[in-house]
Amino acid sequence: MGVGGAHPGGLNLTKEIFNTEKIDGNSHVLDVGCGTGQTAAFLAAHYGARVTAMDINPIMIEKAKSRMKQYQLQVEVIQGSIEEFPLKDSTFDFILSESVLSFVNKPRALKEIFRLLKNGGRFIANELTVNEQLNPSSKEEIKQFYGLDSVLMEQDWDALFEQAGFKNVKVLMQKNSMLQNDSIPEFHSSENIDPELYTIMIQHLNILMKYQGILANRIILCTK
Ligand SMILES: C[S@@+](CC[C@H](N)C(=O)[O-])C[C@H]1O[C@@H](n2cnc3c(N)ncnc32)[C@H](O)[C@@H]1O
């Protein structure tokens, strides 16, 4: 559907987070699972940062490339998986993952992110988190629908990041629910959208309503 900012809080939350980071024109940033490239484009345009955007999905890559071309931004857009991404060790000052870790093999992806980050570099994630322990059938419903291997609580994220070697791990709770988004929605729709996708979108909204107050997100900030 070409959604820009397919993460809780949208671009406004991304802007708020980077307001407190030391990012500038000398920073090299990797946007993991960049989707259609909205965040990557913002970081390049607003801070003049050198940005690399990567995603596993060829349609996302195509949309991200066309966005960079449209706005004449020198963002490098690469298709690949963050579970194994063939770039050199210690390449990036910042790595960002906005609603991506939830969908991948987390220990493998975190190991790769740690490797790609420079010493002292920052890793920032915005990830789906449950506020309370779910009963087995609710957990299964969420895992099945979103294709997740696990549904994590705040302390689980914290433990995974610590195990991967990150320091100063800080997990921030969000005041807005997953149904609230202050950013203006953006769609770069494909010409032919499978009608099933509209059904899936409605099911997604139903799940957000059903688990309001339980299904949430956390911002996880840490340093290598
Ligand atoms: C919920 S979307 C978020 C997209 C973008 N970060 C945003 O906020 O708009 C999740 C993205 O992760 C990508 N993704 C899933 N598995 C991945 C992997 N192993 N490596 C890189 N990207 C992946 C998907 O293709 C999708 O674009």
Side-chain angles (χ1 to χ4, degrees), residues 95 97 101 106-107 110 113-114 123-127 152 154-171 218-223:
I95 300 185
S97 99
L101 287 185
K106 295 165 199 58
L110 285 169
I113 289 168
F114 190 83
F123 175 44
I124 300 168
N126 177 352
E127 295 294 339
L152 301 188
E154 183 171 317
Q155 55 269 35
D156 305 320
W157 285 117
D158 189 64
L160 273 174
F161 277 52
E162 301 267 358
Q163 277 157 23
F166 290 103
K167 294 182 293 196
N168 310 322
V169 181
K170 225 196 232 180
V171 186
R218 294 290 187 278
I219 306 302
I220 311 148
L221 306 147
C222 57
T223 308

PDB file of all heavy atoms in Angstrom, residues 95 97 101 106-107 110 113-114 123-127 152 154-171 218-223:
ATOM      1  N   ILE A  95      22.288   3.303  14.032  1.00  0.00           N
ATOM      2  CA  ILE A  95      21.450   2.319  13.335  1.00  0.00           C
ATOM      3  C   ILE A  95      20.060   2.435  13.935  1.00  0.00           C
ATOM      4  O   ILE A  95      19.889   2.611  15.155  1.00  0.00           O
ATOM      5  CB  ILE A  95      22.002   0.888  13.448  1.00  0.00           C
ATOM      6  CG1 ILE A  95      23.415   0.827  12.835  1.00  0.00           C
ATOM      7  CG2 ILE A  95      21.068  -0.098  12.755  1.00  0.00           C
ATOM      8  CD1 ILE A  95      24.050  -0.567  12.764  1.00  0.00           C
ATOM      9  N   SER A  97      15.977   0.945  13.835  1.00  0.00           N
ATOM     10  CA  SER A  97      15.025  -0.061  13.350  1.00  0.00           C
ATOM     11  C   SER A  97      13.647   0.314  13.871  1.00  0.00           C
ATOM     12  O   SER A  97      13.426   0.342  15.080  1.00  0.00           O
ATOM     13  CB  SER A  97      15.441  -1.469  13.787  1.00  0.00           C
ATOM     14  OG  SER A  97      14.753  -1.898  14.915  1.00  0.00           O
ATOM     15  N   LEU A 101      12.523  -5.359  14.103  1.00  0.00           N
ATOM     16  CA  LEU A 101      13.080  -6.461  14.897  1.00  0.00           C
ATOM     17  C   LEU A 101      12.030  -7.494  15.255  1.00  0.00           C
ATOM     18  O   LEU A 101      12.320  -8.683  15.353  1.00  0.00           O
ATOM     19  CB  LEU A 101      13.687  -5.928  16.199  1.00  0.00           C
ATOM     20  CG  LEU A 101      14.998  -5.162  16.102  1.00  0.00           C
ATOM     21  CD1 LEU A 101      15.491  -4.827  17.504  1.00  0.00           C
ATOM     22  CD2 LEU A 101      16.052  -5.965  15.345  1.00  0.00           C
ATOM     23  N   LYS A 106      15.623 -12.274  16.203  1.00  0.00           N
ATOM     24  CA  LYS A 106      16.149 -11.122  16.951  1.00  0.00           C
ATOM     25  C   LYS A 106      17.623 -11.269  17.354  1.00  0.00           C
ATOM     26  O   LYS A 106      18.405 -10.343  17.125  1.00  0.00           O
ATOM     27  CB  LYS A 106      15.252 -10.837  18.163  1.00  0.00           C
ATOM     28  CG  LYS A 106      13.856 -10.407  17.735  1.00  0.00           C
ATOM     29  CD  LYS A 106      12.893 -10.495  18.912  1.00  0.00           C
ATOM     30  CE  LYS A 106      11.453 -10.533  18.495  1.00  0.00           C
ATOM     31  NZ  LYS A 106      11.086 -11.647  17.592  1.00  0.00           N
ATOM     32  N   PRO A 107      18.032 -12.433  17.929  1.00  0.00           N
ATOM     33  CA  PRO A 107      19.459 -12.533  18.288  1.00  0.00           C
ATOM     34  C   PRO A 107      20.384 -12.369  17.076  1.00  0.00           C
ATOM     35  O   PRO A 107      21.414 -11.700  17.158  1.00  0.00           O
ATOM     36  CB  PRO A 107      19.573 -13.935  18.901  1.00  0.00           C
ATOM     37  CG  PRO A 107      18.191 -14.237  19.394  1.00  0.00           C
ATOM     38  CD  PRO A 107      17.260 -13.583  18.414  1.00  0.00           C
ATOM     39  N   LEU A 110      20.337  -8.631  16.007  1.00  0.00           N
ATOM     40  CA  LEU A 110      21.024  -7.764  16.978  1.00  0.00           C
ATOM     41  C   LEU A 110      22.542  -7.962  16.907  1.00  0.00           C
ATOM     42  O   LEU A 110      23.306  -7.007  17.061  1.00  0.00           O
ATOM     43  CB  LEU A 110      20.510  -8.037  18.391  1.00  0.00           C
ATOM     44  CG  LEU A 110      19.111  -7.454  18.671  1.00  0.00           C
ATOM     45  CD1 LEU A 110      18.557  -7.975  19.981  1.00  0.00           C
ATOM     46  CD2 LEU A 110      19.151  -5.923  18.697  1.00  0.00           C
ATOM     47  N   ILE A 113      23.612  -6.011  13.851  1.00  0.00           N
ATOM     48  CA  ILE A 113      23.549  -4.560  14.116  1.00  0.00           C
ATOM     49  C   ILE A 113      24.733  -4.147  14.988  1.00  0.00           C
ATOM     50  O   ILE A 113      25.394  -3.129  14.729  1.00  0.00           O
ATOM     51  CB  ILE A 113      22.188  -4.196  14.771  1.00  0.00           C
ATOM     52  CG1 ILE A 113      21.082  -4.324  13.715  1.00  0.00           C
ATOM     53  CG2 ILE A 113      22.207  -2.801  15.381  1.00  0.00           C
ATOM     54  CD1 ILE A 113      19.662  -4.285  14.257  1.00  0.00           C
ATOM     55  N   PHE A 114      25.040  -4.954  16.001  1.00  0.00           N
ATOM     56  CA  PHE A 114      26.172  -4.663  16.896  1.00  0.00           C
ATOM     57  C   PHE A 114      27.476  -4.632  16.085  1.00  0.00           C
ATOM     58  O   PHE A 114      28.307  -3.751  16.252  1.00  0.00           O
ATOM     59  CB  PHE A 114      26.236  -5.729  17.998  1.00  0.00           C
ATOM     60  CG  PHE A 114      27.192  -5.395  19.104  1.00  0.00           C
ATOM     61  CD1 PHE A 114      26.802  -4.568  20.146  1.00  0.00           C
ATOM     62  CD2 PHE A 114      28.485  -5.901  19.099  1.00  0.00           C
ATOM     63  CE1 PHE A 114      27.687  -4.253  21.174  1.00  0.00           C
ATOM     64  CE2 PHE A 114      29.369  -5.588  20.119  1.00  0.00           C
ATOM     65  CZ  PHE A 114      28.967  -4.771  21.162  1.00  0.00           C
ATOM     66  N   PHE A 123      22.280   2.717  18.773  1.00  0.00           N
ATOM     67  CA  PHE A 123      21.231   1.916  18.126  1.00  0.00           C
ATOM     68  C   PHE A 123      19.893   2.322  18.731  1.00  0.00           C
ATOM     69  O   PHE A 123      19.735   2.372  19.953  1.00  0.00           O
ATOM     70  CB  PHE A 123      21.494   0.421  18.327  1.00  0.00           C
ATOM     71  CG  PHE A 123      20.386  -0.453  17.797  1.00  0.00           C
ATOM     72  CD1 PHE A 123      19.818  -0.206  16.551  1.00  0.00           C
ATOM     73  CD2 PHE A 123      19.902  -1.515  18.530  1.00  0.00           C
ATOM     74  CE1 PHE A 123      18.781  -0.999  16.054  1.00  0.00           C
ATOM     75  CE2 PHE A 123      18.872  -2.320  18.050  1.00  0.00           C
ATOM     76  CZ  PHE A 123      18.316  -2.053  16.807  1.00  0.00           C
ATOM     77  N   ILE A 124      18.943   2.643  17.857  1.00  0.00           N
ATOM     78  CA  ILE A 124      17.627   3.109  18.306  1.00  0.00           C
ATOM     79  C   ILE A 124      16.559   2.229  17.663  1.00  0.00           C
ATOM     80  O   ILE A 124      16.543   2.054  16.442  1.00  0.00           O
ATOM     81  CB  ILE A 124      17.410   4.579  17.877  1.00  0.00           C
ATOM     82  CG1 ILE A 124      18.503   5.461  18.494  1.00  0.00           C
ATOM     83  CG2 ILE A 124      16.017   5.066  18.271  1.00  0.00           C
ATOM     84  CD1 ILE A 124      18.566   6.866  17.927  1.00  0.00           C
ATOM     85  N   ALA A 125      15.683   1.689  18.490  1.00  0.00           N
ATOM     86  CA  ALA A 125      14.623   0.825  17.961  1.00  0.00           C
ATOM     87  C   ALA A 125      13.269   1.289  18.483  1.00  0.00           C
ATOM     88  O   ALA A 125      13.165   1.850  19.575  1.00  0.00           O
ATOM     89  CB  ALA A 125      14.889  -0.614  18.384  1.00  0.00           C
ATOM     90  N   ASN A 126      12.249   1.093  17.657  1.00  0.00           N
ATOM     91  CA  ASN A 126      10.860   1.383  18.049  1.00  0.00           C
ATOM     92  C   ASN A 126      10.097   0.093  17.778  1.00  0.00           C
ATOM     93  O   ASN A 126       9.844  -0.236  16.619  1.00  0.00           O
ATOM     94  CB  ASN A 126      10.339   2.544  17.195  1.00  0.00           C
ATOM     95  CG  ASN A 126       8.874   2.875  17.466  1.00  0.00           C
ATOM     96  OD1 ASN A 126       8.188   2.147  18.185  1.00  0.00           O
ATOM     97  ND2 ASN A 126       8.393   3.961  16.880  1.00  0.00           N
ATOM     98  N   GLU A 127       9.790  -0.660  18.828  1.00  0.00           N
ATOM     99  CA  GLU A 127       9.298  -2.022  18.587  1.00  0.00           C
ATOM    100  C   GLU A 127       8.042  -2.376  19.378  1.00  0.00           C
ATOM    101  O   GLU A 127       7.847  -1.922  20.514  1.00  0.00           O
ATOM    102  CB  GLU A 127      10.407  -3.039  18.902  1.00  0.00           C
ATOM    103  CG  GLU A 127      11.623  -2.939  17.978  1.00  0.00           C
ATOM    104  CD  GLU A 127      11.341  -3.298  16.522  1.00  0.00           C
ATOM    105  OE1 GLU A 127      10.346  -3.993  16.237  1.00  0.00           O
ATOM    106  OE2 GLU A 127      12.133  -2.869  15.653  1.00  0.00           O
ATOM    107  N   LEU A 152       7.008  -9.838  22.870  1.00  0.00           N
ATOM    108  CA  LEU A 152       7.907  -9.478  23.963  1.00  0.00           C
ATOM    109  C   LEU A 152       7.364  -8.392  24.884  1.00  0.00           C
ATOM    110  O   LEU A 152       6.646  -7.484  24.457  1.00  0.00           O
ATOM    111  CB  LEU A 152       9.249  -9.014  23.399  1.00  0.00           C
ATOM    112  CG  LEU A 152      10.010 -10.018  22.533  1.00  0.00           C
ATOM    113  CD1 LEU A 152      11.404  -9.495  22.218  1.00  0.00           C
ATOM    114  CD2 LEU A 152      10.111 -11.369  23.199  1.00  0.00           C
ATOM    115  N   GLU A 154       8.624  -5.429  27.898  1.00  0.00           N
ATOM    116  CA  GLU A 154       9.746  -4.483  28.021  1.00  0.00           C
ATOM    117  C   GLU A 154      11.033  -5.164  28.524  1.00  0.00           C
ATOM    118  O   GLU A 154      12.110  -4.974  27.968  1.00  0.00           O
ATOM    119  CB  GLU A 154       9.293  -3.379  28.989  1.00  0.00           C
ATOM    120  CG  GLU A 154      10.289  -2.292  29.166  1.00  0.00           C
ATOM    121  CD  GLU A 154       9.707  -1.122  29.964  1.00  0.00           C
ATOM    122  OE1 GLU A 154       8.566  -0.732  29.723  1.00  0.00           O
ATOM    123  OE2 GLU A 154      10.443  -0.626  30.821  1.00  0.00           O
ATOM    124  N   GLN A 155      10.885  -5.987  29.566  1.00  0.00           N
ATOM    125  CA  GLN A 155      12.075  -6.608  30.155  1.00  0.00           C
ATOM    126  C   GLN A 155      12.733  -7.610  29.199  1.00  0.00           C
ATOM    127  O   GLN A 155      13.937  -7.856  29.280  1.00  0.00           O
ATOM    128  CB  GLN A 155      11.773  -7.267  31.518  1.00  0.00           C
ATOM    129  CG  GLN A 155      10.658  -8.277  31.537  1.00  0.00           C
ATOM    130  CD  GLN A 155       9.302  -7.654  31.857  1.00  0.00           C
ATOM    131  OE1 GLN A 155       9.007  -6.530  31.467  1.00  0.00           O
ATOM    132  NE2 GLN A 155       8.486  -8.387  32.607  1.00  0.00           N
ATOM    133  N   ASP A 156      11.919  -8.199  28.269  1.00  0.00           N
ATOM    134  CA  ASP A 156      12.499  -9.133  27.293  1.00  0.00           C
ATOM    135  C   ASP A 156      13.395  -8.384  26.300  1.00  0.00           C
ATOM    136  O   ASP A 156      14.475  -8.858  25.936  1.00  0.00           O
ATOM    137  CB  ASP A 156      11.394  -9.865  26.514  1.00  0.00           C
ATOM    138  CG  ASP A 156      10.418 -10.575  27.433  1.00  0.00           C
ATOM    139  OD1 ASP A 156      10.865 -11.153  28.426  1.00  0.00           O
ATOM    140  OD2 ASP A 156       9.194 -10.535  27.158  1.00  0.00           O
ATOM    141  N   TRP A 157      12.926  -7.216  25.849  1.00  0.00           N
ATOM    142  CA  TRP A 157      13.745  -6.403  24.934  1.00  0.00           C
ATOM    143  C   TRP A 157      15.044  -6.013  25.620  1.00  0.00           C
ATOM    144  O   TRP A 157      16.134  -6.129  25.044  1.00  0.00           O
ATOM    145  CB  TRP A 157      13.008  -5.127  24.500  1.00  0.00           C
ATOM    146  CG  TRP A 157      11.933  -5.351  23.487  1.00  0.00           C
ATOM    147  CD1 TRP A 157      10.598  -5.124  23.645  1.00  0.00           C
ATOM    148  CD2 TRP A 157      12.095  -5.835  22.142  1.00  0.00           C
ATOM    149  NE1 TRP A 157       9.921  -5.444  22.491  1.00  0.00           N
ATOM    150  CE2 TRP A 157      10.808  -5.875  21.554  1.00  0.00           C
ATOM    151  CE3 TRP A 157      13.190  -6.239  21.386  1.00  0.00           C
ATOM    152  CZ2 TRP A 157      10.606  -6.303  20.238  1.00  0.00           C
ATOM    153  CZ3 TRP A 157      12.985  -6.665  20.074  1.00  0.00           C
ATOM    154  CH2 TRP A 157      11.708  -6.693  19.523  1.00  0.00           C
ATOM    155  N   ASP A 158      14.909  -5.551  26.851  1.00  0.00           N
ATOM    156  CA  ASP A 158      16.073  -5.113  27.613  1.00  0.00           C
ATOM    157  C   ASP A 158      17.111  -6.244  27.692  1.00  0.00           C
ATOM    158  O   ASP A 158      18.292  -6.043  27.419  1.00  0.00           O
ATOM    159  CB  ASP A 158      15.593  -4.689  29.013  1.00  0.00           C
ATOM    160  CG  ASP A 158      16.687  -4.021  29.796  1.00  0.00           C
ATOM    161  OD1 ASP A 158      17.130  -2.949  29.374  1.00  0.00           O
ATOM    162  OD2 ASP A 158      17.134  -4.605  30.798  1.00  0.00           O
ATOM    163  N   ALA A 159      16.627  -7.456  28.017  1.00  0.00           N
ATOM    164  CA  ALA A 159      17.535  -8.600  28.168  1.00  0.00           C
ATOM    165  C   ALA A 159      18.209  -8.933  26.829  1.00  0.00           C
ATOM    166  O   ALA A 159      19.424  -9.188  26.780  1.00  0.00           O
ATOM    167  CB  ALA A 159      16.757  -9.811  28.685  1.00  0.00           C
ATOM    168  N   LEU A 160      17.431  -8.913  25.730  1.00  0.00           N
ATOM    169  CA  LEU A 160      18.007  -9.236  24.417  1.00  0.00           C
ATOM    170  C   LEU A 160      19.107  -8.245  24.019  1.00  0.00           C
ATOM    171  O   LEU A 160      20.147  -8.629  23.482  1.00  0.00           O
ATOM    172  CB  LEU A 160      16.915  -9.178  23.343  1.00  0.00           C
ATOM    173  CG  LEU A 160      16.093 -10.432  23.105  1.00  0.00           C
ATOM    174  CD1 LEU A 160      14.964 -10.145  22.126  1.00  0.00           C
ATOM    175  CD2 LEU A 160      16.986 -11.541  22.536  1.00  0.00           C
ATOM    176  N   PHE A 161      18.865  -6.966  24.287  1.00  0.00           N
ATOM    177  CA  PHE A 161      19.847  -5.932  23.935  1.00  0.00           C
ATOM    178  C   PHE A 161      21.115  -6.082  24.779  1.00  0.00           C
ATOM    179  O   PHE A 161      22.220  -5.950  24.274  1.00  0.00           O
ATOM    180  CB  PHE A 161      19.241  -4.531  24.104  1.00  0.00           C
ATOM    181  CG  PHE A 161      18.417  -4.080  22.921  1.00  0.00           C
ATOM    182  CD1 PHE A 161      17.396  -4.866  22.409  1.00  0.00           C
ATOM    183  CD2 PHE A 161      18.660  -2.860  22.310  1.00  0.00           C
ATOM    184  CE1 PHE A 161      16.644  -4.459  21.317  1.00  0.00           C
ATOM    185  CE2 PHE A 161      17.910  -2.439  21.217  1.00  0.00           C
ATOM    186  CZ  PHE A 161      16.905  -3.240  20.719  1.00  0.00           C
ATOM    187  N   GLU A 162      20.923  -6.369  26.053  1.00  0.00           N
ATOM    188  CA  GLU A 162      22.086  -6.558  26.951  1.00  0.00           C
ATOM    189  C   GLU A 162      22.888  -7.777  26.483  1.00  0.00           C
ATOM    190  O   GLU A 162      24.116  -7.734  26.417  1.00  0.00           O
ATOM    191  CB  GLU A 162      21.621  -6.790  28.400  1.00  0.00           C
ATOM    192  CG  GLU A 162      20.795  -5.657  28.997  1.00  0.00           C
ATOM    193  CD  GLU A 162      21.638  -4.642  29.763  1.00  0.00           C
ATOM    194  OE1 GLU A 162      22.857  -4.835  29.865  1.00  0.00           O
ATOM    195  OE2 GLU A 162      21.039  -3.650  30.236  1.00  0.00           O
ATOM    196  N   GLN A 163      22.174  -8.859  26.156  1.00  0.00           N
ATOM    197  CA  GLN A 163      22.860 -10.088  25.718  1.00  0.00           C
ATOM    198  C   GLN A 163      23.667  -9.850  24.438  1.00  0.00           C
ATOM    199  O   GLN A 163      24.701 -10.462  24.222  1.00  0.00           O
ATOM    200  CB  GLN A 163      21.851 -11.202  25.439  1.00  0.00           C
ATOM    201  CG  GLN A 163      21.423 -11.968  26.686  1.00  0.00           C
ATOM    202  CD  GLN A 163      20.066 -12.649  26.498  1.00  0.00           C
ATOM    203  OE1 GLN A 163      19.641 -12.921  25.380  1.00  0.00           O
ATOM    204  NE2 GLN A 163      19.387 -12.907  27.607  1.00  0.00           N
ATOM    205  N   ALA A 164      23.169  -8.940  23.584  1.00  0.00           N
ATOM    206  CA  ALA A 164      23.879  -8.667  22.323  1.00  0.00           C
ATOM    207  C   ALA A 164      25.116  -7.799  22.564  1.00  0.00           C
ATOM    208  O   ALA A 164      25.913  -7.585  21.646  1.00  0.00           O
ATOM    209  CB  ALA A 164      22.939  -7.991  21.333  1.00  0.00           C
ATOM    210  N   GLY A 165      25.271  -7.284  23.778  1.00  0.00           N
ATOM    211  CA  GLY A 165      26.483  -6.520  24.126  1.00  0.00           C
ATOM    212  C   GLY A 165      26.285  -5.019  24.216  1.00  0.00           C
ATOM    213  O   GLY A 165      27.236  -4.282  24.474  1.00  0.00           O
ATOM    214  N   PHE A 166      25.054  -4.541  23.983  1.00  0.00           N
ATOM    215  CA  PHE A 166      24.834  -3.094  24.026  1.00  0.00           C
ATOM    216  C   PHE A 166      24.912  -2.561  25.456  1.00  0.00           C
ATOM    217  O   PHE A 166      24.575  -3.266  26.408  1.00  0.00           O
ATOM    218  CB  PHE A 166      23.458  -2.749  23.421  1.00  0.00           C
ATOM    219  CG  PHE A 166      23.403  -2.967  21.937  1.00  0.00           C
ATOM    220  CD1 PHE A 166      22.774  -4.083  21.405  1.00  0.00           C
ATOM    221  CD2 PHE A 166      24.010  -2.082  21.073  1.00  0.00           C
ATOM    222  CE1 PHE A 166      22.736  -4.309  20.039  1.00  0.00           C
ATOM    223  CE2 PHE A 166      23.982  -2.293  19.702  1.00  0.00           C
ATOM    224  CZ  PHE A 166      23.343  -3.408  19.181  1.00  0.00           C
ATOM    225  N   LYS A 167      25.361  -1.290  25.563  1.00  0.00           N
ATOM    226  CA  LYS A 167      25.491  -0.652  26.884  1.00  0.00           C
ATOM    227  C   LYS A 167      24.416   0.437  27.031  1.00  0.00           C
ATOM    228  O   LYS A 167      23.837   0.881  26.041  1.00  0.00           O
ATOM    229  CB  LYS A 167      26.863   0.033  27.002  1.00  0.00           C
ATOM    230  CG  LYS A 167      28.029  -0.932  27.000  1.00  0.00           C
ATOM    231  CD  LYS A 167      29.349  -0.213  27.160  1.00  0.00           C
ATOM    232  CE  LYS A 167      29.688   0.650  25.960  1.00  0.00           C
ATOM    233  NZ  LYS A 167      31.023   1.099  25.797  1.00  0.00           N
ATOM    234  N   ASN A 168      24.245   0.888  28.246  1.00  0.00           N
ATOM    235  CA  ASN A 168      23.304   2.000  28.545  1.00  0.00           C
ATOM    236  C   ASN A 168      21.939   1.783  27.903  1.00  0.00           C
ATOM    237  O   ASN A 168      21.393   2.696  27.273  1.00  0.00           O
ATOM    238  CB  ASN A 168      23.851   3.354  28.051  1.00  0.00           C
ATOM    239  CG  ASN A 168      25.268   3.602  28.490  1.00  0.00           C
ATOM    240  OD1 ASN A 168      25.630   3.248  29.607  1.00  0.00           O
ATOM    241  ND2 ASN A 168      26.075   4.174  27.616  1.00  0.00           N
ATOM    242  N   VAL A 169      21.415   0.583  28.021  1.00  0.00           N
ATOM    243  CA  VAL A 169      20.123   0.292  27.389  1.00  0.00           C
ATOM    244  C   VAL A 169      19.011   1.014  28.156  1.00  0.00           C
ATOM    245  O   VAL A 169      18.882   0.859  29.367  1.00  0.00           O
ATOM    246  CB  VAL A 169      19.838  -1.235  27.373  1.00  0.00           C
ATOM    247  CG1 VAL A 169      18.508  -1.532  26.682  1.00  0.00           C
ATOM    248  CG2 VAL A 169      20.978  -1.992  26.700  1.00  0.00           C
ATOM    249  N   LYS A 170      18.261   1.824  27.423  1.00  0.00           N
ATOM    250  CA  LYS A 170      17.169   2.587  28.034  1.00  0.00           C
ATOM    251  C   LYS A 170      15.888   2.256  27.283  1.00  0.00           C
ATOM    252  O   LYS A 170      15.860   2.322  26.047  1.00  0.00           O
ATOM    253  CB  LYS A 170      17.469   4.080  27.811  1.00  0.00           C
ATOM    254  CG  LYS A 170      17.260   4.952  29.035  1.00  0.00           C
ATOM    255  CD  LYS A 170      17.217   6.359  28.566  1.00  0.00           C
ATOM    256  CE  LYS A 170      18.164   7.248  29.301  1.00  0.00           C
ATOM    257  NZ  LYS A 170      18.090   8.607  28.818  1.00  0.00           N
ATOM    258  N   VAL A 171      14.838   1.869  27.983  1.00  0.00           N
ATOM    259  CA  VAL A 171      13.585   1.512  27.311  1.00  0.00           C
ATOM    260  C   VAL A 171      12.532   2.542  27.702  1.00  0.00           C
ATOM    261  O   VAL A 171      12.245   2.726  28.884  1.00  0.00           O
ATOM    262  CB  VAL A 171      13.124   0.099  27.722  1.00  0.00           C
ATOM    263  CG1 VAL A 171      11.899  -0.318  26.917  1.00  0.00           C
ATOM    264  CG2 VAL A 171      14.240  -0.929  27.511  1.00  0.00           C
ATOM    265  N   ARG A 218       7.703   0.303  22.450  1.00  0.00           N
ATOM    266  CA  ARG A 218       8.725   0.923  23.285  1.00  0.00           C
ATOM    267  C   ARG A 218       9.810   1.479  22.379  1.00  0.00           C
ATOM    268  O   ARG A 218      10.100   0.901  21.321  1.00  0.00           O
ATOM    269  CB  ARG A 218       9.381  -0.091  24.229  1.00  0.00           C
ATOM    270  CG  ARG A 218       8.478  -0.656  25.291  1.00  0.00           C
ATOM    271  CD  ARG A 218       8.097   0.362  26.351  1.00  0.00           C
ATOM    272  NE  ARG A 218       7.357  -0.261  27.432  1.00  0.00           N
ATOM    273  CZ  ARG A 218       6.043  -0.526  27.409  1.00  0.00           C
ATOM    274  NH1 ARG A 218       5.325  -0.209  26.359  1.00  0.00           N
ATOM    275  NH2 ARG A 218       5.461  -1.121  28.442  1.00  0.00           N
ATOM    276  N   ILE A 219      10.413   2.571  22.829  1.00  0.00           N
ATOM    277  CA  ILE A 219      11.619   3.063  22.173  1.00  0.00           C
ATOM    278  C   ILE A 219      12.781   2.507  22.984  1.00  0.00           C
ATOM    279  O   ILE A 219      12.823   2.674  24.212  1.00  0.00           O
ATOM    280  CB  ILE A 219      11.681   4.614  22.200  1.00  0.00           C
ATOM    281  CG1 ILE A 219      10.409   5.225  21.607  1.00  0.00           C
ATOM    282  CG2 ILE A 219      12.931   5.112  21.475  1.00  0.00           C
ATOM    283  CD1 ILE A 219      10.116   4.811  20.194  1.00  0.00           C
ATOM    284  N   ILE A 220      13.695   1.838  22.313  1.00  0.00           N
ATOM    285  CA  ILE A 220      14.843   1.255  23.012  1.00  0.00           C
ATOM    286  C   ILE A 220      16.097   1.961  22.467  1.00  0.00           C
ATOM    287  O   ILE A 220      16.342   1.946  21.251  1.00  0.00           O
ATOM    288  CB  ILE A 220      14.927  -0.262  22.782  1.00  0.00           C
ATOM    289  CG1 ILE A 220      13.551  -0.888  23.057  1.00  0.00           C
ATOM    290  CG2 ILE A 220      15.988  -0.892  23.684  1.00  0.00           C
ATOM    291  CD1 ILE A 220      13.231  -2.086  22.227  1.00  0.00           C
ATOM    292  N   LEU A 221      16.826   2.598  23.374  1.00  0.00           N
ATOM    293  CA  LEU A 221      18.016   3.369  22.986  1.00  0.00           C
ATOM    294  C   LEU A 221      19.237   2.725  23.655  1.00  0.00           C
ATOM    295  O   LEU A 221      19.156   2.365  24.837  1.00  0.00           O
ATOM    296  CB  LEU A 221      17.897   4.808  23.488  1.00  0.00           C
ATOM    297  CG  LEU A 221      16.634   5.573  23.084  1.00  0.00           C
ATOM    298  CD1 LEU A 221      16.231   6.541  24.179  1.00  0.00           C
ATOM    299  CD2 LEU A 221      16.861   6.310  21.790  1.00  0.00           C
ATOM    300  N   CYS A 222      20.325   2.585  22.917  1.00  0.00           N
ATOM    301  CA  CYS A 222      21.513   2.011  23.547  1.00  0.00           C
ATOM    302  C   CYS A 222      22.770   2.402  22.773  1.00  0.00           C
ATOM    303  O   CYS A 222      22.688   3.009  21.700  1.00  0.00           O
ATOM    304  CB  CYS A 222      21.380   0.499  23.629  1.00  0.00           C
ATOM    305  SG  CYS A 222      21.105  -0.270  22.053  1.00  0.00           S
ATOM    306  N   THR A 223      23.906   2.034  23.335  1.00  0.00           N
ATOM    307  CA  THR A 223      25.202   2.425  22.780  1.00  0.00           C
ATOM    308  C   THR A 223      26.071   1.174  22.634  1.00  0.00           C
ATOM    309  O   THR A 223      25.948   0.256  23.442  1.00  0.00           O
ATOM    310  CB  THR A 223      25.897   3.396  23.771  1.00  0.00           C
ATOM    311  OG1 THR A 223      24.976   4.446  24.070  1.00  0.00           O
ATOM    312  CG2 THR A 223      27.167   3.986  23.204  1.00  0.00           C
TER     313      THR A 223
END
